[in-house]
Amino acid sequence: MKTLTLVLSLAAGLLTPGLALAQAAERVDLNDEQMEELVVRCYQYVAMFNVNNRFALDADNPLSSGGYNRVKANTDLADHTVQAVARPNNDTLYVVAMIDVTEEPIVMEMPAFDSKYVSLMVTGYDHYVNIPMSTGDGDFGEPSNILFYSQRTPGYRGEPVEGADEVFEVTGDFVSAVLRVMPHAAEPERLEANRAAMRSVDVEPLSEFLGKRHDDAGFVPWGSPSGIGRSLDLKEDLARFPEFGSDFEIFEDRFLEVMQFVVNHTTFDPGDELDTALLRILKPLGVEPGKAFDPDGVAEIDGAALREAAERFASASLAKMGDPEFLAENLTRTFKPKGEIDVELLAIQSVIGPIGQPSQEALYPPVNTEDGKPMNAMSDYEIVMTAEELPPVNAFWSATLYENDTGFFIPNDRFKYSVGENAGFKLDEDGGIRIVIAAEQPEGVPTENWLPINREDMDLDIIMRLYAPDLERYESWRAPKAKKISAE
């Protein structure tokens, strides 16, 4: 595997020698290699702390659930106001359920869907991606319920529960459980049926779930008040967490506070190399599982330097998306469950676009340029695929345009950010397609195939999404290249 040039000391531990804190709030000077190791081992946690809490608690995020143990059915495709996560999609609908299992297990209730693609993705602060249910596995043909709990959920250890079709142990106390639903936007009746199904998804504490299933039980006690999370208003819910923000801001201003919270609410495996390495480098800084954060009891580190290290890593990670060798070796190895992905890919995927899916569910090949230079909005581009060159998928595909630095959609009055079956596309008479990225719609290009840009000095990138990819055919398929067709 082609990797970043990082020194990742496992046995010796760069941060261990000489860094055991002699007293509270001792200044610890870290060299560049130590800063880089902190960044690469912690980026996934910082990114997912921000992502999950934005989806639960950010009132400005249009996809937000409005609190933990609540559900938001987003029945329209995302637009440029969605900035809670880098490189969001514009081709499926989302049901966002934010789960808090700190007081009791939570049950997620789901209907059947009339869609050729639905998946349930569950992700904690550690950014390991789990897909407990998918149409590819024969799920969602009928209603189903899944129960979530963690190692720290009081009074429950995974025993079967009447009415729960699946019991799933999550690695964190605060996780996102996200349904991606192919809406079949070109079929109005099917689209409305799927929207109605999305609105019926619900989550509830186990005590309430059991109470509904027994006529003689108005309430089943659990040892804590029922309706956890949902009984809190947004302000009360927010108060339980350190402040979230941008990844770089966390690294600079409150890195140790966030990491203390994260390790207190994450399950670590003493036999997992990545888990033990993380805890080893945090301990000399005063962060250990089970401790309360004390600003006077942790190390003092150079936040500005740590931010600079994070920015360097992010820049190097983005550059990887233009490296054909790296993509060929690693594109099918991202967004995996615990134990199936290495630390560098975990960190890189957290920069590029958190909460993607593993290769059996989706692939995310970038579209690079023919000349290898970054796309820039000062020029127009075209992407051409014949019928034989279309992506190898069993469900559907899309191509989505982003502003490179932020990873956000480019605002436009057409609300057009991607080309595909759900956001709109038009194949030519031979079954191929020509997609144009341009400031003005070119003559002869269907509106569905035009991605508008503003004429300014802005680097662009395009990510394709291949849902339920044919992995055998994918081995010989190559993503298309973007060709510059005009310049000012």
Side-chain angles (χ1 to χ4, degrees):
M1 170 185 171
K2 188 173 181 180
T3 62
L4 297 174
T5 306
L6 294 170
V7 179
L8 301 177
S9 59
L10 293 175
L14 280 173
L15 299 184
T16 302
L19 292 185
L21 297 183
Q23 57 186 3
E26 180 179 344
R27 172 81 177 186
V28 173
D29 293 319
L30 306 176
N31 62 35
D32 288 347
E33 290 179 349
Q34 292 167 335
M35 288 284 188
E36 288 174 346
E37 181 171 7
L38 262 186
V39 167
V40 78
R41 293 206 179 277
C42 297
Y43 209 112
Q44 70 204 76
Y45 297 94
V46 170
M48 287 307 299
F49 172 83
N50 283 329
V51 167
N52 276 1
N53 285 328
R54 282 198 193 101
F55 275 95
L57 305 168
D58 186 355
D60 295 327
N61 176 13
L63 302 186
S64 173
S65 65
Y68 276 95
N69 294 329
R70 291 183 171 91
V71 177
K72 174 69 178 297
N74 298 282
T75 55
D76 292 303
L77 296 177
D79 62 23
H80 60 262
T81 64
V82 175
Q83 299 186 354
V85 60
R87 293 167 182 81
N89 83 29
N90 178 245
D91 53 24
T92 69
L93 304 180
Y94 281 115
V95 179
V96 177
M98 301 307 300
I99 306 296
D100 167 7
V101 295
T102 57
E103 294 190 35
E104 66 175 281
I106 299 296
V107 179
M108 185 174 182
E109 300 172 288
M110 293 167 288
F113 284 90
D114 179 21
S115 176
K116 66 181 179 182
Y117 187 82
V118 184
S119 69
L120 174 64
M121 180 186 71
V122 181
T123 317
Y125 292 153
D126 53 20
H127 206 182
Y128 296 113
V129 178
N130 301 282
I131 309 290
M133 298 179 65
S134 171
T135 48
D137 295 327
D139 300 316
F140 298 110
E142 56 186 45
S144 55
N145 303 315
I146 183 169
L147 180 150
F148 297 108
Y149 76 103
S150 81
Q151 196 177 86
R152 289 158 298 284
T153 303
Y156 182 78
R157 289 296 175 265
E159 57 270 18
V161 170
E162 180 184 355
D165 302 296
E166 184 171 351
V167 172
F168 191 83
E169 182 180 359
V170 290
T171 56
D173 299 334
F174 303 98
V175 302
S176 55
V178 177
L179 282 168
R180 284 178 174 85
V181 181
M182 179 183 176
H184 297 272
E187 304 173 61
E189 291 186 5
R190 200 173 185 185
L191 170 63
E192 291 308 315
N194 282 316
R195 283 172 164 167
M198 291 171 64
R199 295 186 188 102
S200 72
V201 176
D202 196 16
V203 296
E204 59 185 345
L206 179 58
S207 56
E208 292 185 11
F209 178 79
L210 292 176
K212 290 195 311 185
R213 307 189 94 74
H214 297 280
D215 294 336
D216 58 347
F219 171 70
V220 178
W222 189 259
S224 63
S226 64
I228 61 169
R230 295 192 293 188
S231 65
L232 300 176
D233 63 29
L234 190 58
K235 185 176 181 180
E236 291 171 324
D237 223 351
L238 272 166
R240 300 188 296 155
F241 300 86
E243 183 181 358
F244 55 85
S246 75
D247 297 345
F248 299 145
E249 177 189 1
I250 296 293
F251 277 111
E252 181 172 13
D253 294 338
R254 50 190 178 279
F255 171 70
L256 295 179
E257 179 186 9
V258 167
M259 289 307 299
Q260 182 63 67
F261 185 88
V262 163
V263 300
N264 284 347
H265 293 286
T266 300
T267 301
F268 294 101
D269 180 355
D272 183 89
E273 182 181 52
L274 302 191
D275 284 358
T276 56
L278 173 73
L279 297 180
R280 184 187 306 125
I281 67 172
L282 290 176
K283 185 174 181 179
L285 302 178
V287 174
E288 298 180 71
K291 290 179 63 174
F293 176 71
D294 176 6
D296 296 324
V298 295
E300 180 185 344
I301 59 177
D302 186 340
L306 189 60
R307 176 179 182 137
E308 289 176 3
E311 290 174 339
R312 289 194 301 271
F313 178 78
S315 179
S317 297
L318 289 169
K320 290 287 182 184
M321 302 311 287
D323 181 342
E325 182 180 345
F326 176 84
L327 294 174
E329 293 181 4
N330 296 297
L331 204 60
T332 60
R333 302 175 61 240
T334 55
F335 303 111
K336 296 289 189 179
K338 189 169 186 172
E340 298 182 24
I341 183 170
D342 65 53
V343 67
E344 290 182 56
L345 279 181
L346 269 170
I348 290 169
Q349 73 185 27
S350 300
V351 171
I352 300 301
I355 59 172
Q357 299 189 98
S359 58
Q360 72 270 18
E361 296 296 326
L363 287 170
Y364 307 91
V367 175
N368 294 312
T369 58
E370 288 185 343
D371 61 11
K373 297 178 181 179
M375 279 187 285
N376 189 278
M378 294 303 294
S379 299
D380 295 342
Y381 299 84
E382 67 175 3
I383 300 166
V384 179
M385 291 180 283
T386 66
E388 293 74 25
E389 293 169 335
L390 292 179
V393 294
N394 296 312
F396 67 103
W397 63 270
S398 68
T400 307
L401 178 67
Y402 302 98
E403 195 274 315
N404 179 266
D405 288 343
T406 64
F408 298 150
F409 298 140
I410 298 171
N412 63 89
D413 57 10
R414 295 178 56 249
F415 296 90
K416 180 68 172 175
Y417 318 100
S418 69
V419 170
E421 184 172 340
N422 297 299
F425 72 165
K426 186 170 286 188
L427 300 179
D428 60 36
E429 60 183 12
D430 297 320
I433 192 169
R434 178 178 182 241
I435 300 168
V436 176
I437 302 97
E440 302 292 338
Q441 182 176 358
E443 184 177 352
V445 174
T447 299
E448 295 90 338
N449 297 354
W450 170 40
L451 291 173
I453 55 176
N454 301 313
R455 187 69 76 211
E456 60 181 291
D457 186 10
M458 172 192 291
D459 283 349
L460 311 170
D461 64 41
I462 291 183
I463 300 293
M464 300 195 77
R465 286 176 170 83
L466 284 56
Y467 290 91
D470 183 328
L471 294 176
E472 184 176 347
R473 286 200 295 140
Y474 178 78
E475 290 184 3
S476 59
W477 179 80
R478 294 294 177 266
K481 300 288 188 180
K483 178 182 178 181
K484 184 187 293 188
I485 56 176
S486 71
E488 288 197 355

